[in-house]
Amino acid sequence: MANLPGAIKGLYPETLSPEQLEKLRGFKIQTRITNEKYLRTHKEVALLISGFFREMFLKRPEDIQEFAADYFTDPRLPNKIHMQLIKEKKAA
């Protein structure tokens, strides 16, 4: 195994035992399941992300990081998301 600059020995999958690899695999699966459950119960996350992408593709900003900072710190954003959640509940 090649030594990488600044690498800490033991942090690469090829250095894990079969038991450790199985635990890591189980942890990754459980993390994905937990994340999926969270996203399904928090519709506002999907609204935030889709709204951001929609605005980004419409406006096509030169500086995406600045655009993202402005988008997510807009004081009107919580109200926009709240209104979209209400609209979705009425449509359901």
Side-chain angles (χ1 to χ4, degrees), residues 3-27:
N3 289 330
L4 300 174
I8 299 173
K9 190 173 182 176
L11 291 181
Y12 296 95
E14 63 269 13
T15 63
L16 298 176
S17 71
E19 296 82 20
Q20 289 172 319
L21 286 171
E22 187 57 34
K23 283 183 179 180
L24 178 60
R25 183 180 162 282
F27 174 76

Side-chain angles (χ1 to χ4, degrees), residues 21-83:
L21 286 171
E22 187 57 34
K23 283 183 179 180
L24 178 60
R25 183 180 162 282
F27 174 76
K28 287 180 177 182
I29 291 169
Q30 190 57 47
T31 300
R32 286 184 180 184
I33 291 169
T34 302
N35 290 344
E36 182 68 26
K37 286 179 181 178
Y38 180 85
L39 291 174
R40 287 178 187 246
T41 59
H42 291 85
K43 302 293 184 195
E44 64 272 18
V45 175
L47 291 172
L48 281 166
I49 293 169
S50 65
F52 170 72
F53 278 112
R54 182 178 54 250
E55 291 294 314
M56 182 185 65
F57 288 130
L58 288 172
K59 296 181 179 175
R60 301 204 180 268
E62 287 293 320
D63 187 341
I64 293 176
Q65 290 179 331
E66 182 179 336
F67 178 79
D70 291 340
Y71 181 85
F72 288 109
T73 58
D74 181 350
R76 299 168 297 176
L77 184 59
N79 190 47
K80 287 179 187 178
I81 298 300
H82 180 71
M83 296 307 289

